[in-house]
């Protein structure tokens, strides 16, 4: 990878419905699951610390320890069975929101000299250009393969949209990030 200092490079693309669907399936389903796990862990920690604050350390510490261990085991068993159901329900709800034009306008790709950012109604995901392992160009799409804990593919449509400057993006990726494989 050969990232040069191109401090003036900046592009912003509005995502189209097909791109939103692909990103929802890849990124956001996993993101919902991660956020639900994080929130449930915070709840578990709150319960344990709340219980700890109401015990007599000399008399009740061993009982608190056993009770906390039982809560953690119960939590892990219950969480694993419900986490998928909760994240799928949240993801299905998010898929319904995609139908609203006002929310679709909030999905964007933002490319700068140092990062690729995907903005969506619930937040944003950012990847440095150094995490791009491979770039593949087809007739209709540019695929950016991202390495990391969870490997992702960013799919960018090459269809002739008026607001997109695909040639600028392709030139930047080819000259500064990685060789583009043309299929």
């Amino acid at each position: 990878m050969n990232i040069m200092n191109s401090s003036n490079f900046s592009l912003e693309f509005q995502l189209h419905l097909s791109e939103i669907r692909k990103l929802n399936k890849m990124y956001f389903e996993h993101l919902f699951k991660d956020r639900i796990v994080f929130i449930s862990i915070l709840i578990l920690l709150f319960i344990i610390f709340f219980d700890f604050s109401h015990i007599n350390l000399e008399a009740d510490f061993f009982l608190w320890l056993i009770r906390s261990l039982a809560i953690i085991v119960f939590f892990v068993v219950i969480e694993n069975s419900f986490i998928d159901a909760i994240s799928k329900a949240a993801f299905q709800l998010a898929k319904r929101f995609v139908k609203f034009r006002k929310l679709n306008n909030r999905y964007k790709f933002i490319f700068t000299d140092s990062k690729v950012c995907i903005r969506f109604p619930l937040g944003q995901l950012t990847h440095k250009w150094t995490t791009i392992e491979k770039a593949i160009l087809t007739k209709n799409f540019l695929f950016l393969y991202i390495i990391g804990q969870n490997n992702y593919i960013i799919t960018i449509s090459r269809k002739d949209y008026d607001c997109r400057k695909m040639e600028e993006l392709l030139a930047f990726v080819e000259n500064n990030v990685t060789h583009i494989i043309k299929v």
Side-chain angles (χ1 to χ4, degrees):
M1 275 181 217
N2 175 22
I3 301 209
M4 297 175 9
N5 186 7
S6 301
S7 60
N8 59 354
F9 179 74
S10 179
L11 291 175
E12 185 173 305
F13 295 171
Q14 190 82 26
L15 272 76
H16 298 283
L17 197 55
S18 64
E19 293 167 321
I20 292 171
R21 285 185 182 133
K22 286 178 182 154
L23 283 171
N24 277 344
K25 189 167 180 82
M26 221 173 215
Y27 274 105
F28 307 135
E29 189 170 12
H30 178 73
L31 186 65
F32 284 132
K33 191 172 184 176
D34 285 350
R35 286 185 177 177
I36 291 169
V37 167
F38 179 74
I39 290 169
S40 58
I41 288 172
L42 286 178
I43 291 169
L44 174 67
L45 290 174
F46 175 76
I47 290 170
I48 290 172
F49 285 118
F50 181 77
D51 188 36
F52 181 75
S53 67
H54 290 86
I55 67 166
N56 179 353
L57 285 178
E58 286 120 25
D60 297 335
F61 182 73
F62 187 69
L63 289 173
W64 172 82
L65 202 55
I66 292 173
R67 191 169 50 237
S68 295
L69 183 61
I71 289 171
I72 291 170
V73 169
F74 178 74
F75 180 78
V76 169
V77 170
I78 295 299
E79 181 189 41
N80 284 337
S81 59
F82 286 115
I83 196 76
D84 286 331
I86 293 169
S87 63
K88 282 181 183 178
F91 181 64
Q92 291 299 324
L93 183 63
K95 279 173 58 175
R96 290 181 189 208
F97 285 131
V98 168
K99 294 176 184 174
F100 297 109
R101 274 231 183 269
K102 202 172 209 176
L103 287 179
N104 282 351
N105 293 338
R106 295 182 61 198
Y107 284 86
K108 294 180 181 179
F109 284 130
I110 299 169
F111 303 97
T112 66
D113 58 326
S114 61
K115 63 186 175 189
V116 176
C117 182
I118 303 166
R119 285 201 182 140
F120 54 98
L122 299 175
Q124 74 179 27
L125 297 167
T126 303
H127 300 286
K128 292 184 179 184
W129 283 111
T130 55
T131 62
I132 303 296
E133 179 182 27
K134 197 183 307 184
I136 296 179
L137 183 65
T138 66
K139 179 181 175 185
N140 295 321
F141 295 100
L142 170 64
F143 299 100
L144 299 175
Y145 292 83
I146 297 175
I147 55 175
Q149 180 182 6
N150 298 311
N151 297 328
Y152 295 113
I153 301 170
I154 296 177
T155 306
I156 305 162
S157 178
R158 289 189 63 202
K159 293 181 182 170
D160 192 20
Y161 296 118
D162 296 334
C163 61
R164 292 201 173 173
K165 298 177 182 175
M166 282 302 291
E167 295 308 316
E168 274 186 58
L169 177 61
L170 294 172
F172 179 81
V173 171
E174 184 73 38
N175 295 327
N176 300 306
V177 181
T178 188
H179 173 71
I180 297 176
I181 301 167
K182 295 176 180 152
V183 180

